[in-house]
């Protein structure tokens, strides 16, 4: 192992990486390389043989952060790894519950509900909640959201329904009203009340708390009845599992020797409790965070965790990272002076109070001064113009500047609209990075309109949108004439279009196109009687030419629309999996409910990959973890930033809250931390913008944050008395650029390599453009059998682990899983997806049952010792290539390892060289990672029970390495020429491929 693979670190970073015994608090200021420290620390622990990869648990808060951390560690390790536990808190808890949830009565096939799905669950069962005090008088939408947020807040504090019910019971038995009310009211307010008033208030409070406690209890029952959990449940049930099943807790305490928590300031009480529990007894716990960047209170983050860490671990060490590699010194100095307005509720003050020298003042690695400027306009329009004028000026004066060097940060999404409009008008390339808004994207609106039309021909707006779609190229005047005749005759737009030959003033070319559209509707309406929405969408995309147009040229717009199409398609797929009647009518009904709930559609966007060269507009929360050369913080006026505090509509009783609440104005301090985060995103230029007139009855006062910054040395712009005449120069380079060279990732799968070897053009459709494809019965069938076998062996291992081994008691052989149990697992795991009719469904089901019967007989005869199931690995081929995959099963076989991959169908008589490639990759991974002898590679054919065994020679393994390196190098060229062959007839993309060979 190459132990010199680690990069050079500064003194504080090196100390943090080297520390490996006991609790450690790393206070990592903005831009100080905290991710580098974490990844270097993980790599060093592994490379210095302190532990194996699977003995480290690293937790963070977003999938993006976890993926970035894993990729960086992957670069540092000279070999592959099997199971590196780097994940979000929720993913970790979900993994544990999927594997061990049965031990506390949880079905491991639980569904994980998002906020909208929670809302729908409550809305559909609202009559069961028996609400009186909190009964909604009108539309219950906002009330339900408040209730769900309340339940989430309780779970953040690790409050279970039973805890809440006990609290209300104790409350009713409590005869001392004043004592109870001190948990709710100030002492002065209580003294002002008479005894009768105290009694009445207490009675009302008891009713209110009992109602909420019962609602919480019912909500949890509804979740379990529907085999569902929400995100808060993942942590709480994981805690319950470890606290009530000591053997499992001990298993994971022994497995994990080291714990690392990133963004520790964003943990809630329950998450911190989980970490503390697992870290016992060695407490090799490293937490990395910065209390000045704690900005997620609205998600339940408890800043008290980082402030209390020293109290929980008195022997812990603290290391501060204050060497900043991002910003100029004057930007850092202004930011530091500003955040000190949050004293004394800062870690710096708390630790200094313990007589320990501790300064969080950041020192810039860069030499020179950054630009700091306040831009102030008479009106909001002026503020926007001043911002754009400054951006254009900076862009033009330095040829090295690109549009992606600029970020406009807003406090709330709605504040971005004026900047978006102005950038559109100026034809400056931009990207609005939002986490919501999928349902407003063009391709999604088009597909929704078409589905609505199939459900109801008389849906006028839907028909109008269909006629105006670019693929049909209908002249707008003809559409206006068609609308006119529909209105005049009192017919729907569809009925009028169906009689297009009778209408004058419309060109014959348009009439022919409209006939085609009516034909599409008729064809797809007939199919919709027995097809699922995803299938109808596939037909529409193919028959209309919509998908062919999106995939013809790789423009930035086309790529964006394909991304949105994929996300929406997955949404519909999930709907089909979770409902017994996956019809278009039911999907449209679901969408209308979601829109009524205020849902806008979650966007899985990555701000760092959202365009080759665009200005980024985003909320400050979205900008966390990012950096830009020039940052513009907008709308710095009273009541916009800092924003007005929105108190929780239903508040938890103080007595139940477990986190330690700091004194002071929590909301203002949170807003100030948000401003600090925004300021420290800037590398060379920080621009603070404001205006006087935002359209209200009164002019706005400057934000108190600007006044605090003025005290710290910021020069405020003078008050304007008249509008400044602003203009933007026209320039061709402002036009949005088309997509540049693709970004290629270092991690590939066998499926990707096989697809490229078969046809590079097919690879482009599947893995570059990510074109959604229709499912196949064989795919659902294979997944059903795989899932059944995995659950079978999990249950088998669980039974073996529970056999009697008490002292002085005879050892009782574990009872094997019986056939009826396996049949039940199969029935629950069988995926009813993509079967064209019930007859085909039944045929596949029976085939699977017969396959499992053969498997079960072989299992009883051989009694395999299964070591791993569905085991994920990452194999390092060289410093540039990582192959990822999942091995179905690994058995112990006479002291060696046997690698098994399941295949549906009958066994082949002989394997070709290409047939062996997948298992040869698994052999490479096993040798590099397990460092144990591998004696067999096996394809197990589930139908028929046949098995083919072989083992790759050193020559075979070298050849597969060479093939992988050659294939990846070809992929990285970014050229995807078509390779038509007789296989085209089986390709998922032949309907949009102009090079296909179908003869």
């Amino acid at each position: 192992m190459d132990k010199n693979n680690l990069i050079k670190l500064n003194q504080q970073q090196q100390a943090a990486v080297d520390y490996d015994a006991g609790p450690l608090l790393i206070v990592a200021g903005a831009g100080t390389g905290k991710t580098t420290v974490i990844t270097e620390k993980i790599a060093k622990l592994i490379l210095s043989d302190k532990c194996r990869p699977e003995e480290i648990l690293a937790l963070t808060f977003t999938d993006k952060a976890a993926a970035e951390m894993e990729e960086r560690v992957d670069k540092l390790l000279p070999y592959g790894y099997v199971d590196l536990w780097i994940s979000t808190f929720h993913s970790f808890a979900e993994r544990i519950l999927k594997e061990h949830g049965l031990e506390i009565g949880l079905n491991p096939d639980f569904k994980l509900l998002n906020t909208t799905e929670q809302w729908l669950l409550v809305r559909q069962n609202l009559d069961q909640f028996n609400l009186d005090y909190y009964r909604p008088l009108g539309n219950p939408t906002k009330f339900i959201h408040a209730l769900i947020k309340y339940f989430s807040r309780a779970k953040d504090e690790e409050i279970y329904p039973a805890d809440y019910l006990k609290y209300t019971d104790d409350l009713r038995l409590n005869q001392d009203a004043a004592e109870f009310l001190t948990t709710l009211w100030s002492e002065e307010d209580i003294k002002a009340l008479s005894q009768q008033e105290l009694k009445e208030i207490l009675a009302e409070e008891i009713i209110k708390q009992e109602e909420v406690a019962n609602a919480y209890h019912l909500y949890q029952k509804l979740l379990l009845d529907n085999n569902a959990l929400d995100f808060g449940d993942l942590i709480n049930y994981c805690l319950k599992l470890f606290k009530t099943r000591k053997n499992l807790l001990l298993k994971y305490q022994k497995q994990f020797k080291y714990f690392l928590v990133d963004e520790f300031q964003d943990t809630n009480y329950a998450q911190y409790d989980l970490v503390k529990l697992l870290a016992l007894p060695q407490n090799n716990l490293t937490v990395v965070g910065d209390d000045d960047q704690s900005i997620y209170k609205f998600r339940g983050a408890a800043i008290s965790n980082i402030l209390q860490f020293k109290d929980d671990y008195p022997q812990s060490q603290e290391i501060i990272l204050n060497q900043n590699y991002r910003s100029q010194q004057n930007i850092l100095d202004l930011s530091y002076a500003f955040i000190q307005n949050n004293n004394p509720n800062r870690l710096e003050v708390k630790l200094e109070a313990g007589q320990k020298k501790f300064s969080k003042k950041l020192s810039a690695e860069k030499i020179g001064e950054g630009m700091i400027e306040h831009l102030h306009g008479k009106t909001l329009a002026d503020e926007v113009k001043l911002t754009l004028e400054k951006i254009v000026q900076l862009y033009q004066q330095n040829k090295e500047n690109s549009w992606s060097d600029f970020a406009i940060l807003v406090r709330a999404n709605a504040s971005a609209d004026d900047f978006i409009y102005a950038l559109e008008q100026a034809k400056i390339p931009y990207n609005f990075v939002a986490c919501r808004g999928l349902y407003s994207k063009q391709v999604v609106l088009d597909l929704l309109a078409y589905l609505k039309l199939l459900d109801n021909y008389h849906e006028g707006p839907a028909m109008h949108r269909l006629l105006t779609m670019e693929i049909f190229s209908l002249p707008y005047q003809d559409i206006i004439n068609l609308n006119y005749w529909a209105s005049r005759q009192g017919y729907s737009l569809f009925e009028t279009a169906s009689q297009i030959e009778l209408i004058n003033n419309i060109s014959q070319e348009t009439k022919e196109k409209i006939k085609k559209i009516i034909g599409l509707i008729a064809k797809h309406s007939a199919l919709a009687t027995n097809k699922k929405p995803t299938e109808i969408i596939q037909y529409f995309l193919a028959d209309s030419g919509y998908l062919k147009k999106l995939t013809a040229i790789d423009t930035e717009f086309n790529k964006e629309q394909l991304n949105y199409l994929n996300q929406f398609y997955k949404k519909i797929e999930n709907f089909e999996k979770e409902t017994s009647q996956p019809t278009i009518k039911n999907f449209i009904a679901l969408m209308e409910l979601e829109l009524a709930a205020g849902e806008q559609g979650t966007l899985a966007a990555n701000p760092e990959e959202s365009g080759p060269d665009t200005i980024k507009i985003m909320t400050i929360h979205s900008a966390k973890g990012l950096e830009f050369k020039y940052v513009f913080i907008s709308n710095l006026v009273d009541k916009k930033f800092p924003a007005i505090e929105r108190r929780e509509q239903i508040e938890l009783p103080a007595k139940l809250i477990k986190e330690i609440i700091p004194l002071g104005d929590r909301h203002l301090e949170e807003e100030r931390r948000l401003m600090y985060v925004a300021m420290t995103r800037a590398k060379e230029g920080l621009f603070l913008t404001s205006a006087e007139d935002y359209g209200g009855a009164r002019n706005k006062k400057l934000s108190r944050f600007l006044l605090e910054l003025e005290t710290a040395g910021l020069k405020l712009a003078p008050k304007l008395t008249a509008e400044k005449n602003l203009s933007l120069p026209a320039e061709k380079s402002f036009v949005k650029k088309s997509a540049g060279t693709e970004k290629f990732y270092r991690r590939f799968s066998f499926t990707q390599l096989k697809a490229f070897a078969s046809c590079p053009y097919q690879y482009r459709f599947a893995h570059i453009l990510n074109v959604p494809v229709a499912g196949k019965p064989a795919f659902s069938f294979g997944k059903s059998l795989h899932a059944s076998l995995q659950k079978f062996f999990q249950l088998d291992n669980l039974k073996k682990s529970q056999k009697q081994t008490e002292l002085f008691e005879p050892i009782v052989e574990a009872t094997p899983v019986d056939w009826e149990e396996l049949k039940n697992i199969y029935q629950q795991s069988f995926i009813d997806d993509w079967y064209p009719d019930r007859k085909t469904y039944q045929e596949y089901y029976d085939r699977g049952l017969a396959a499992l019967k053969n498997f079960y007989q072989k299992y009883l005869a051989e009694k395999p010792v299964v070591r791993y199931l569905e085991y994920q690995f990452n194999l390092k081929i060289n410093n540039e290539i990582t192959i990822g995959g999942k091995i179905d099963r690994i058995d112990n076989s006479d002291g060696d390892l046997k690698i098994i991959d399941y295949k549906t169908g009958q066994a082949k008589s002989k394997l070709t060289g290409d047939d062996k490639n997948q298992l040869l990759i698994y052999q490479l991974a096993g040798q590099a990672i397990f460092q144990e002898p591998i004696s067999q590679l096996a394809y197990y054919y589930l139908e028929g029970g046949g098995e083919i065994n072989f083992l790759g020679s050193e020559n075979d393994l070298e050849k597969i390495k060479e093939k992988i390196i050659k294939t990846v190098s070809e992929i990285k060229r970014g050229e995807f020429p078509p390779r038509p062959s007789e296989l085209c007839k089986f390709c998922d993309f032949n309907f949009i491929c102009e090079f296909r060979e179908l003869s």
Side-chain angles (χ1 to χ4, degrees):
M1 289 186 290
D2 181 9
K3 299 180 183 179
N4 298 314
N5 208 20
L6 309 180
I7 67 172
K8 187 176 180 180
L9 305 171
N10 66 38
Q11 185 177 349
Q12 292 92 347
Q13 289 174 330
Q14 191 65 57
V17 168
D18 292 341
Y19 188 91
D20 64 3
L24 171 67
L25 170 62
I26 302 174
V27 182
T32 57
K34 71 177 179 62
T35 305
T36 297
V37 168
I38 295 172
T39 53
E40 294 284 332
K41 190 175 182 71
I42 292 172
K44 182 168 184 182
L45 287 169
I46 296 169
L47 294 174
S48 60
D49 297 325
K50 294 281 185 182
C51 63
R52 298 190 301 274
E54 64 269 25
E55 293 176 330
I56 300 172
L57 176 61
L59 297 171
T60 188
F61 282 86
T62 66
D63 290 325
K64 177 179 174 294
E68 180 187 356
M69 198 182 297
E70 186 170 350
E71 186 176 348
R72 288 205 196 182
V73 172
D74 179 47
K75 288 180 181 178
L76 294 172
L77 297 178
Y79 53 84
Y81 51 88
V82 177
D83 203 9
L84 193 58
W85 288 66
I86 296 178
S87 73
T88 65
F89 274 92
H90 291 119
S91 294
F92 167 75
E94 185 176 13
R95 179 174 177 176
I96 296 295
L97 293 177
K98 290 284 186 184
E99 191 166 343
H100 304 292
L102 278 172
E103 301 227 8
I104 53 172
L106 275 182
N107 186 332
D109 289 329
F110 60 80
K111 295 175 292 187
L112 189 58
L113 303 188
N114 60 30
T115 304
T116 300
E117 290 165 335
Q118 293 171 257
W119 184 93
L120 288 170
L121 180 67
V122 175
R123 182 70 181 86
Q124 290 161 359
N125 296 277
L126 194 57
D127 58 331
Q128 296 186 44
F129 279 83
N130 296 321
L131 299 171
D132 182 28
Y133 186 94
Y134 282 112
R135 180 182 296 278
L137 298 178
N139 187 334
T141 297
K142 290 186 177 180
F143 165 74
I144 295 173
H145 280 303
L147 206 57
I148 291 168
K149 188 173 182 181
Y150 184 74
F151 299 153
S152 175
R153 181 78 183 91
K155 292 173 185 182
D156 291 342
E157 293 288 334
E158 202 183 334
I159 301 167
Y160 298 91
D163 300 329
Y164 212 137
L165 290 170
K166 182 181 183 304
Y167 165 75
T168 57
D169 287 342
D170 293 344
L171 188 58
R172 187 165 286 282
L173 294 172
N174 188 348
Q175 301 301 313
D176 188 345
E179 180 184 341
F180 163 70
L181 288 175
T182 55
T183 66
L184 300 171
W185 291 20
S186 69
E187 189 176 341
E188 294 76 14
D189 290 337
I190 294 172
K191 285 180 179 178
L193 299 173
S194 67
Q195 284 301 312
Q196 181 60 31
E197 286 173 326
L198 283 173
K199 186 176 180 181
E200 291 172 357
I201 290 170
L202 179 60
E204 185 178 277
E205 190 63 34
I206 289 171
I207 292 170
K208 183 169 71 172
Q209 294 300 330
E210 284 180 335
E211 190 167 290
V212 173
N214 288 324
Y216 185 22
H217 175 72
L218 175 62
Y219 171 69
Q220 287 305 112
K221 182 177 182 300
L222 287 170
L223 284 171
L224 294 177
D225 288 347
N226 286 275
N227 191 29
L229 302 181
D230 61 27
F231 282 94
D233 286 328
L234 293 175
I235 306 299
N236 282 8
Y237 278 120
C238 197
L239 277 163
K240 183 178 180 181
L241 177 72
F242 287 141
K243 289 182 178 181
T244 58
R245 301 293 181 265
K246 301 297 183 184
N247 59 324
L248 274 176
L249 175 60
L250 186 61
K251 165 185 162 66
Y252 284 101
Q253 285 176 334
K254 285 185 175 180
Q255 175 180 330
F256 298 125
K257 293 182 177 178
Y258 294 93
F259 298 82
L260 296 98
V261 181
D262 190 17
E263 304 289 5
F264 182 61
Q265 75 279 353
D266 295 331
T267 54
N268 60 39
Y269 180 89
Q271 290 164 339
Y272 185 26
D273 197 26
L274 178 63
V275 171
K276 286 191 289 187
L277 188 65
L278 284 169
L280 290 169
Q282 285 88 2
N283 290 325
N284 290 329
L285 171 61
T286 297
V287 299
V288 186
D290 180 8
D291 59 305
D292 290 333
Q293 296 186 74
S294 177
I295 58 172
Y296 292 110
K297 182 170 69 72
F298 68 96
R299 292 183 189 170
I303 191 174
S304 59
N305 287 348
I306 194 167
L307 298 176
Q308 291 295 126
F309 186 81
K310 186 67 179 177
D311 294 336
D312 293 333
Y313 299 99
Q315 302 306 313
S316 66
Q317 296 294 309
E318 302 87 35
I319 295 175
I320 181 166
L321 306 182
N322 55 12
Q323 190 70 28
N324 179 280
Y325 295 91
R326 175 187 300 160
S327 307
Q328 302 286 13
Q329 188 65 55
N330 59 330
I331 294 175
L332 298 176
D333 289 344
L334 183 66
S335 303
Y336 179 68
F338 170 75
I339 197 60
Q340 288 189 86
N341 287 287
N342 270 2
N343 291 342
N345 290 325
R346 294 178 61 244
L347 187 63
E348 183 177 43
V349 177
K350 180 179 173 64
L351 291 179
E352 282 184 345
Q355 276 114 33
K356 184 168 185 176
K357 187 177 180 182
F358 191 91
S359 173
K360 291 180 63 181
K361 183 174 171 53
L362 298 175
S363 176
E365 181 73 13
K366 292 182 176 181
I367 298 172
E369 277 203 350
M371 290 177 280
I372 302 176
E373 192 175 342
H374 175 218
L375 306 176
H376 183 67
K378 180 71 176 174
T379 65
L380 172 58
D382 287 340
E383 179 185 352
V384 172
K385 289 176 185 176
L386 283 165
T387 299
L388 267 60
E389 187 181 58
K390 178 62 70 172
I391 289 173
V392 170
Q393 176 192 336
L394 292 169
Y395 178 78
Q396 291 178 326
Q397 73 183 22
N398 187 343
K399 290 182 179 180
E400 293 183 2
N401 283 340
S402 64
W403 294 120
S404 55
D405 287 327
F406 299 89
I408 300 172
L409 305 185
V410 295
R411 177 63 183 83
N413 279 318
S415 300
D417 293 345
D418 294 280
F419 292 96
I420 291 171
Y421 178 76
L423 288 164
E424 285 280 6
Q425 294 300 303
K427 299 191 182 307
I428 297 176
Y430 76 91
N431 185 66
F432 177 39
V433 183
C435 58
R436 312 199 76 76
L438 177 64
Y439 300 159
S440 64
K441 301 304 179 185
Q442 179 175 309
V443 64
V444 175
L445 290 172
D446 288 346
L447 293 178
L448 272 175
Y450 194 67
L451 293 177
K452 282 185 178 181
L453 194 59
L454 296 183
D455 182 50
N456 179 7
Y457 287 167
H458 304 298
E459 185 74 46
M463 184 66 185
H464 179 81
R465 186 169 190 93
L466 180 64
L467 293 173
T468 56
M469 286 184 191
E470 192 177 339
I471 49 169
F472 300 120
S473 302
L474 296 182
Y476 200 65
Q477 187 58 49
D478 284 347
I479 297 173
I480 292 173
N481 290 340
L482 195 62
N483 277 313
Y484 167 76
W485 281 106
S487 176
R488 180 173 175 177
Q489 294 173 349
Y491 293 164
S492 70
L493 192 54
F494 172 81
E495 288 175 304
T496 307
S498 300
Q499 305 173 46
I500 192 65
E501 286 292 357
L502 304 177
I503 300 174
N504 298 323
N505 300 326
I506 291 181
S507 69
Q508 190 58 41
E509 184 183 358
T510 296
K511 288 181 179 182
E512 294 303 318
K513 289 180 178 179
I514 289 177
K515 286 178 187 176
K516 179 186 175 183
I517 293 171
I518 296 298
L520 285 177
I521 296 170
K523 175 185 176 181
H524 298 153
S525 294
L527 290 170
T529 57
N530 59 7
K531 299 289 185 183
K532 296 177 181 178
T534 46
E535 294 175 278
I536 299 301
I537 284 176
Q538 288 283 347
Y539 286 124
F540 171 71
L541 292 173
D543 296 342
S544 66
Y546 199 114
L547 192 55
K548 191 169 185 177
K549 183 175 178 63
L550 280 182
T551 56
I553 305 173
D554 292 349
T555 65
E556 189 62 28
F557 175 80
N558 284 352
K559 283 177 38 176
E560 284 180 352
Q561 294 305 309
L562 280 167
N563 179 30
Y564 301 143
L565 169 61
N566 264 289
Q567 293 182 50
F568 188 58
Y569 194 83
K570 289 174 185 174
K571 160 80 180 174
I572 305 176
E573 282 185 321
N574 289 335
F575 157 77
E576 292 173 352
K577 290 173 185 174
E578 295 169 3
T579 182
S580 58
Q581 294 181 307
T583 63
I584 287 176
K585 182 180 285 293
N586 287 341
F587 178 70
I588 293 299
L590 172 66
M591 288 299 302
E592 288 175 349
L593 272 173
E594 287 201 16
L595 292 169
E599 179 59 53
Q600 301 170 25
T602 302
L603 280 169
N606 185 343
E608 293 178 330
E609 296 169 19
S610 52
D613 190 18
T614 59
I615 294 171
K616 303 299 184 291
I617 308 174
M618 65 182 74
T619 65
I620 301 170
H621 285 100
S622 300
K624 179 79 159 56
L626 303 179
E627 59 183 39
F628 302 92
K629 195 171 184 179
Y630 306 106
V631 167
F632 292 77
I633 306 174
S634 64
N635 297 170
L636 281 164
V637 293
D638 186 41
K639 295 184 175 58
K640 280 186 174 287
F641 196 9
I644 300 171
E645 181 177 11
R646 294 182 180 178
R647 299 184 69 85
E648 294 176 359
Q649 292 173 280
I650 310 174
E651 293 190 342
L652 278 176
K655 194 171 184 179
L656 286 175
I657 296 175
K658 297 174 182 176
E659 67 169 287
I660 299 171
I661 308 297
L663 299 174
D665 190 331
R666 293 181 69 200
H667 170 72
L668 181 60
E669 289 177 4
E670 174 102 352
E671 290 287 298
R672 195 174 280 118
R673 290 192 294 270
L674 193 61
M675 180 68 178
Y676 176 79
V677 165
M679 294 172 69
T680 53
R681 300 311 93 195
K683 295 197 283 187
E684 295 183 17
L686 175 62
F687 302 92
L688 312 166
T689 74
S690 59
E692 292 181 22
D693 182 2
Y694 285 81
R698 297 180 181 177
N699 284 348
K700 289 283 189 182
K701 296 178 181 178
L702 288 180
S703 166
R704 66 178 293 164
F705 290 166
L706 283 176
L707 302 180
E708 290 174 4
L709 287 166
E710 183 184 28
T711 303
L714 173 68
K715 183 179 179 182
L716 296 183
K719 260 193 169 184
L720 297 182
T721 56
E723 270 193 49
K724 184 181 177 184
N725 186 24
L726 301 167
S727 62
L728 293 171
E731 184 161 323
K732 289 180 182 179
S733 61
F734 290 175
V735 179
K736 283 192 179 183
K737 299 177 182 178
S738 61
T741 305
E742 296 287 347
K743 175 180 176 181
F744 295 101
Y745 297 93
R746 298 172 64 254
R747 190 178 186 274
F748 294 85
S749 67
F750 171 74
T751 303
Q752 288 174 282
L753 300 178
K754 185 178 179 182
F756 187 86
S758 173
C759 175
Y761 206 56
Q762 177 199 28
Y763 179 91
R764 170 181 173 267
F765 284 130
H767 301 289
I768 299 297
L769 300 180
N770 296 310
V771 175
V773 297
K776 296 181 176 66
F779 182 69
S780 298
F781 179 61
K783 286 183 69 176
S784 300
L785 288 177
H786 273 70
S788 299
L789 292 176
Q790 182 186 8
K791 292 170 189 173
F792 168 80
F793 280 114
Q794 283 177 344
L795 182 58
D796 188 50
N797 288 340
L798 179 63
K799 285 195 169 190
K800 288 175 182 175
S801 69
Q802 291 177 338
K803 65 184 179 181
Q804 191 172 359
T805 56
E806 292 293 329
L807 192 63
F808 306 121
E809 294 287 340
I811 296 176
V812 179
E813 194 67 33
T815 306
V817 179
D818 61 41
W819 169 240
E820 289 302 317
E821 287 177 305
L822 178 53
K823 279 173 65 177
N824 186 53
I825 289 172
Y826 176 62
Q827 184 179 11
Q828 293 177 352
S829 303
F830 196 81
I831 302 168
D832 182 6
D833 229 354
W834 299 108
Y835 298 104
D837 49 54
R838 299 317 292 173
K839 182 183 177 205
T840 308
Y841 168 91
Q842 193 62 48
E843 287 173 354
Y844 271 97
Y845 186 88
D846 293 342
R847 280 171 55 186
L849 202 60
L852 288 178
K853 185 70 174 176
N854 289 335
F855 159 81
Y856 187 71
Q857 295 300 327
K858 189 173 183 179
Y859 155 79
L860 289 177
E862 297 179 356
K863 294 183 179 177
V865 180
V866 178
R867 183 161 168 184
Y868 300 112
L869 292 168
E870 299 287 323
Y871 217 89
Q872 290 187 337
F873 68 85
N874 286 277
L875 169 67
K876 211 75 168 287
I877 299 297
N878 56 29
N879 286 332
E880 298 299 322
I881 302 171
T882 297
I883 303 297
K886 184 185 289 184
I887 301 173
D888 290 336
R889 202 173 104 205
I890 302 175
D891 290 356
N892 284 334
S893 178
D894 297 326
D896 296 339
L897 297 180
K898 178 181 179 180
I899 293 176
I900 300 167
D901 187 73
Y902 299 132
K903 299 290 183 187
T904 52
Q906 300 289 333
K908 294 185 177 183
S909 57
K910 186 179 180 182
L911 295 177
T912 66
D914 287 342
D915 290 332
K916 294 180 179 181
N917 288 343
Q918 183 176 3
L919 282 182
L920 288 174
I921 290 174
Y922 290 177
Q923 184 180 345
L924 280 173
Q927 288 179 350
I929 297 164
F930 291 110
Q931 297 183 359
E932 295 180 50
I934 296 170
S935 59
Q936 288 185 73
L937 305 176
Y939 283 122
Y940 180 84
Y941 294 86
L942 295 168
E943 295 187 79
E947 187 174 302
I948 296 181
N949 298 286
F950 67 96
L951 189 67
S953 65
E954 286 302 317
N955 187 45
D956 292 331
L957 298 180
E958 282 304 313
K959 282 184 177 179
I960 192 67
K961 279 187 195 176
E962 291 171 6
K963 186 171 183 177
I964 290 170
I965 293 169
K966 181 183 176 185
T967 303
V968 171
S969 68
E970 290 176 355
I971 291 173
K972 288 187 174 182
R973 286 189 200 135
E975 299 173 1
F976 306 101
R979 196 174 292 160
S981 69
E982 68 276 3
L983 296 177
C984 289
K985 65 183 73 171
F986 305 110
C987 178
D988 290 322
F989 310 104
N990 58 34
F991 69 99
I992 55 173
C993 178
E994 64 270 37
F995 305 105
R996 67 189 185 276
E997 183 180 292
L998 299 180
S999 58

